[in-house]
Amino acid sequence: MLHPDYPIQTERLILRPLSPDDVDALFAYQSREDVCRYIPYAPRTRERVLERITAPHGRSFLDQPGDALSVAVQLRSSGELVGDVVLFWHSEEHRSGEIGYVFSPDHTGHGYATETAHALLRLGFAGLGLHRIVARVDARNTASAAVARRIDMRQEAHLVQNEWFKGEWSDELVFAILQDEWRAAQVS
C-alpha cells in the first residue's frame, strides 16, 4: 500500500491529488490534438476531464495491485498546474509498476517531466517497495523517451508495429529500471 503524505515537493514542483478545481487547467492541454497524439486517450471534453478527476480509478493512493495513483504537478513558485502523472501498481507478486506523464506544451523544455519522473520512481521504489518500474512510450514521442533516459531507465525493447494505435500501426519503446539500479543512482 502507498498513501503518500501530500503535498510531495521537489526542488521546483508540488505533486498533489487532482481536484475538481483543476478541470480548466487540465482541459487546456488534455483537449489538444498534439498533446494526445501519443497517449491512449483522444482529446477530452471539459466534461470528460471532470469525470476522470472524480472517478474512483483516478486516485491519489495505491491500496492493491491494479490501482493507479494519478496526481497533479504544479509549480511551487506560482501554483500553476503544468501536468499530471500516473504511477501504476501492476503486481504485488512481481513488485512491478509503471509510470506515465503528460505536460502542458506551455511548460515543456524546463525539465519538469524529468523532475517529476524522479519523484514517481521514489514513490514506487522507496514508498511502495517495487522491484521494477517500466515506462512504455510511442517510438515517435522522442521527448518522452528522452525523459525515460534522463532518469536512468534503460531501453529494453523496441516493439515494431505492435499496436494498432489511433488508426495506424505504431512502434513502442519499453524502458525499465530496477530498484537496485535506482538506489545506486541515488548514491552517485
Side-chain angles (χ1 to χ4, degrees), residues 1-182:
M1 286 195 317
L2 176 65
H3 289 248
D5 186 18
Y6 291 107
I8 298 165
Q9 296 194 32
T10 67
E11 182 181 338
R12 302 174 296 162
L13 305 169
I14 295 172
L15 282 66
R16 59 159 177 79
L18 291 163
S19 84
D21 293 338
D22 297 324
V23 69
D24 291 328
L26 290 168
F27 174 69
Y29 63 89
Q30 288 187 4
S31 63
R32 292 178 53 162
E33 202 61 56
D34 59 332
V35 170
C36 298
R37 180 174 181 198
Y38 302 124
I39 55 180
Y41 58 81
R44 292 178 170 161
T45 63
R46 188 178 187 288
E47 292 73 26
R48 184 70 180 132
V49 171
L50 184 59
E51 274 177 33
R52 296 291 295 181
I53 292 171
T54 58
H57 51 74
R59 302 164 62 156
S60 57
F61 54 88
L62 299 170
D63 278 339
Q64 61 190 0
D67 285 350
L69 179 142
S70 300
V71 294
V73 180
Q74 68 183 77
L75 298 177
R76 285 178 70 171
S77 60
S78 67
E80 183 178 6
L81 189 142
V82 297
D84 61 285
V85 296
V86 63
L87 171 64
F88 297 99
W89 183 10
H90 288 311
S91 170
E92 185 170 18
E93 177 185 4
H94 303 294
R95 294 177 33 218
S96 62
E98 180 177 345
I99 61 171
Y101 35 85
V102 60
F103 283 79
S104 167
D106 297 337
H107 298 284
T108 57
H110 302 287
Y112 299 144
T114 301
E115 191 172 325
T116 305
H118 276 295
L120 289 176
L121 292 180
R122 188 170 38 261
L123 282 173
F125 290 132
L128 191 56
L130 296 178
H131 169 69
R132 174 183 168 85
I133 297 176
V134 301
R136 298 177 330 134
V137 176
D138 187 300
R140 299 167 295 181
N141 191 345
T142 57
S144 284
V147 169
R149 289 182 180 101
R150 280 194 296 274
I151 61 170
D152 298 317
M153 295 183 104
R154 86 185 140 279
Q155 183 178 324
E156 292 189 334
H158 182 147
L159 306 172
V160 178
Q161 293 188 8
N162 72 309
E163 192 171 84
W164 184 253
F165 185 75
K166 297 185 177 181
E168 62 185 322
W169 289 109
S170 67
D171 290 9
E172 180 179 54
L173 304 178
V174 179
F175 294 89
I177 187 169
L178 301 176
Q179 184 184 56
D180 291 346
E181 296 167 329
W182 173 78

